[in-house]
């Protein structure tokens, strides 16, 4: 009976090992997809890769010390230095594993990021706050500037809860204006091409609006995997954005986002909605993305009105629980509905 039960026990152990391996592979593949789709920020992805490299080095050192210990005379006393070194190495490995798990898990990762955000806000609130309206003027002639500025009063009147007599600040570049901005501020861009490195605090809520017929925001490799990464109520209006190659145009994580008279040209994916978010997208064009024009994941609510997607590998991609309303929209491409 003992000899008969051993193969069964061995078979059960193999099945458990296979199930564990399949689960591990599935988790790693999901992590890879999240990194590729921009769900995991570039900085977090970089830290995950660094943790894996460090863990491999620690694992190699553990195996080296254990091999040395096994090769010693079995009758001799165990070298206490080897024991101490192994304990330290295993403690180091446990710290690396704990940090890796926290970054891999979406909930723990969000809690970690929220804590960093709180610390950032506490630091920034100590700074003096300027005007909530920043105007960016770059390389316009006096005549062009006068014509564009004449449109500003009507723009201010069209904005909700903004007094008409509010003061404005002017900046020579978009990035300088963003560096001085707080949550809820409004950036007004005049005609021209404006380079973006990061949104700063305005990513947690605010507005960027173009004042003119040719307002462009461009990304670069230094911007990261996402050109415009928002985490609160946000409005983008009368703008064209040009993500760099392999870059996602917009990723929205939290709150409501409104895109109006908006255009995305180039990049990897045009618009990516994640989690419990509301997206109101009207008169928007997504063109020439190497990946997908618009992606809306589980939990998102989106209204598309008068939108066009052309020359993208995939036009629209929805997960099963995404709620979408389409009104007079044209998609010259493939549409995917994922289960």
């Amino acid at each position: 009976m003992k000899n008969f039960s051993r193969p069964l026990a061995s078979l059960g152990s193999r099945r458990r090992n296979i199930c564990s391996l399949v689960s591990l592979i599935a988790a790693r593949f999901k992590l890879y997809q999240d990194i590729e789709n921009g769900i995991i920020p570039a900085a977090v992805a970089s830290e995950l890769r660094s943790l894996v490299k460090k863990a491999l080095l620690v694992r190699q050192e553990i195996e080296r010390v254990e091999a040395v210990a096994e090769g010693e005379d079995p009758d001799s006393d165990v070298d206490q230095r080897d024991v101490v070194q192994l304990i330290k190495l295993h403690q180091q490995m446990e710290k690396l594993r704990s940090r890796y798990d926290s970054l891999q898990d979406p909930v723990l990762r969000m809690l970690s990021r929220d804590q960093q955000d709180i610390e950032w806000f506490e630091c920034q609130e100590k700074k003096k706050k300027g005007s909530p309206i920043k105007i960016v003027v770059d390389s316009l002639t006096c005549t062009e500037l006068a014509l564009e500025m004449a449109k500003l009063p009507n723009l201010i009147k069209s904005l909700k809860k903004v007094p008409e007599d509010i003061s404005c600040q002017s900046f020579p570049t978009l990035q300088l204006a963003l560096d001085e901005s707080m949550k809820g501020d409004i950036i007004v861009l005049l005609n021209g091409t404006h380079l973006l490195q990061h949104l700063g605090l305005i990513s947690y809520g605010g507005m960027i609006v173009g004042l003119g017929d040719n307002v462009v925001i461009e990304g670069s490799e230094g911007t990261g995997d996402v050109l415009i990464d928002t985490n609160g109520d946000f409005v983008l209006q009368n703008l064209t954005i040009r993500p760099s190659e392999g870059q996602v145009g917009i990723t929205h994580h939290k709150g409501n986002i409104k895109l109006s008279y908006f255009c995305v040209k180039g990049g990897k994916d045009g618009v990516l909605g994640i989690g419990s978010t509301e997206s109101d997208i009207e008169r928007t064009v997504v063109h020439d993305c190497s990946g997908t024009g618009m992606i809306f994941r589980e939990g998102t609510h989106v209204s598309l009105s008068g939108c066009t997607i052309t020359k993208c590998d995939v036009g629209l991609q929805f997960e099963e629980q995404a709620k979408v309303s389409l009104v007079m929209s044209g998609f010259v491409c493939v549409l995917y509905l994922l289960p």
Side-chain angles (χ1 to χ4, degrees):
M1 179 64 68
K2 289 182 179 180
N3 292 335
F4 179 74
S5 62
R6 284 177 183 173
L8 292 178
S10 176
L11 181 60
S13 177
R14 289 177 183 175
R15 285 178 176 173
R16 286 192 295 271
N17 290 338
I18 292 173
C19 290
S20 177
L21 181 59
V22 170
S23 177
L24 177 61
I25 292 174
R28 293 289 173 84
F29 182 67
K30 178 64 167 59
L31 182 65
Y32 170 77
Q33 285 185 314
D34 288 347
I35 291 174
E36 288 296 303
N37 291 330
I39 298 174
I40 295 180
V44 175
S46 178
E47 185 176 354
L48 284 168
R49 296 187 186 99
S50 176
L51 289 171
V52 171
K53 291 179 181 178
K54 290 178 180 178
L56 288 173
L57 292 175
V58 173
R59 179 73 262 173
Q60 291 172 1
E61 185 62 15
I62 290 174
E63 292 174 352
R64 186 193 67 79
V65 175
E66 289 178 343
V68 170
E70 290 176 0
E72 294 176 350
D73 186 352
D75 296 330
S76 63
D77 295 333
V78 177
D79 192 333
Q80 294 299 317
R81 289 174 298 181
D82 291 343
V83 175
V84 172
Q85 187 177 3
L86 281 173
I87 291 174
K88 290 182 177 180
L89 287 170
H90 281 287
Q91 289 175 342
Q92 186 178 353
M93 180 67 82
E94 189 59 36
K95 289 181 179 179
L96 292 172
R97 182 181 292 109
S98 176
R99 179 59 179 167
Y100 182 89
D101 290 341
S102 68
L103 292 176
Q104 181 176 305
D105 184 273
V107 176
L108 295 177
R109 186 170 65 246
M110 183 62 71
L111 290 174
S112 175
R113 188 173 67 180
D114 288 346
Q115 181 59 37
Q116 293 173 357
D117 294 343
I118 292 170
E119 294 172 357
W120 173 257
F121 274 117
E122 290 175 347
C123 177
Q124 294 298 313
E125 283 176 355
K126 297 177 183 178
K127 297 182 178 180
K128 184 178 179 180
K129 191 179 186 302
S131 169
I133 298 182
K134 275 80 172 173
I135 302 174
V136 180
V137 184
D138 183 17
S139 302
L140 292 180
T141 66
C142 292
T143 302
E144 290 172 336
L145 179 59
L147 290 172
E148 297 302 326
M149 291 302 292
K151 304 173 185 177
L152 186 59
N154 289 333
L155 174 63
I156 299 299
K157 289 179 182 178
S158 70
L159 302 177
K160 297 179 180 179
K161 300 180 181 180
V162 178
E164 294 182 20
D165 59 349
I166 194 170
S167 63
C168 302
Q169 287 179 282
S170 62
F171 294 85
T173 69
L174 170 59
Q175 196 55 56
L176 285 175
L178 290 171
D179 290 343
E180 293 295 323
S181 295
M182 301 290 287
K183 178 182 177 181
D185 282 358
I186 300 168
I187 306 292
V188 180
L189 301 177
L190 271 64
N191 276 335
T193 300
H194 306 271
L195 298 180
L196 172 62
Q197 294 177 341
H198 57 82
L199 287 180
L201 288 177
I202 201 176
S203 66
Y204 297 97
M207 172 186 286
I208 302 178
V209 55
L211 185 66
D213 301 324
N214 186 29
V215 183
V216 180
I217 297 177
E218 280 194 349
S220 64
E221 292 182 358
T223 308
D225 295 335
V226 181
L227 177 56
I228 297 178
D229 200 355
T230 61
N231 290 277
D233 295 345
F234 212 87
V235 176
L236 293 163
Q237 179 178 315
N238 195 35
L239 299 167
T240 294
I241 65 169
R242 293 177 181 164
S244 60
E245 185 178 357
Q247 192 175 54
V248 177
I250 301 171
T251 299
H252 186 53
H253 299 269
K254 183 166 49 179
N256 303 327
I257 189 169
K258 180 177 179 63
L259 307 182
S260 180
Y261 295 93
F262 191 76
C263 181
V264 182
K265 290 186 177 181
K268 180 185 176 184
D269 301 318
V271 180
L272 173 60
I274 300 172
S276 299
T277 57
E278 299 273 350
S279 299
D280 183 6
I281 304 176
E282 64 177 14
R283 304 295 180 185
T284 293
V285 176
V286 181
H287 177 71
D288 201 23
C289 293
S290 61
T292 305
M294 296 184 186
I295 307 172
F296 299 103
R297 299 193 177 279
E298 183 177 353
T300 58
H301 293 229
V302 57
S303 172
L304 302 175
S305 176
C307 299
T308 303
I309 301 176
T310 59
K311 292 189 67 177
C312 299
D313 281 354
V314 177
L316 288 174
Q317 179 175 308
F318 306 127
E319 290 196 356
E320 186 177 7
Q321 299 302 317
K323 297 182 179 179
V324 183
S325 171
L326 302 177
V327 181
M328 295 177 62
S329 298
F331 308 109
V332 187
C333 44
V334 182
L335 185 151
Y336 282 172
L337 177 62
L338 298 183

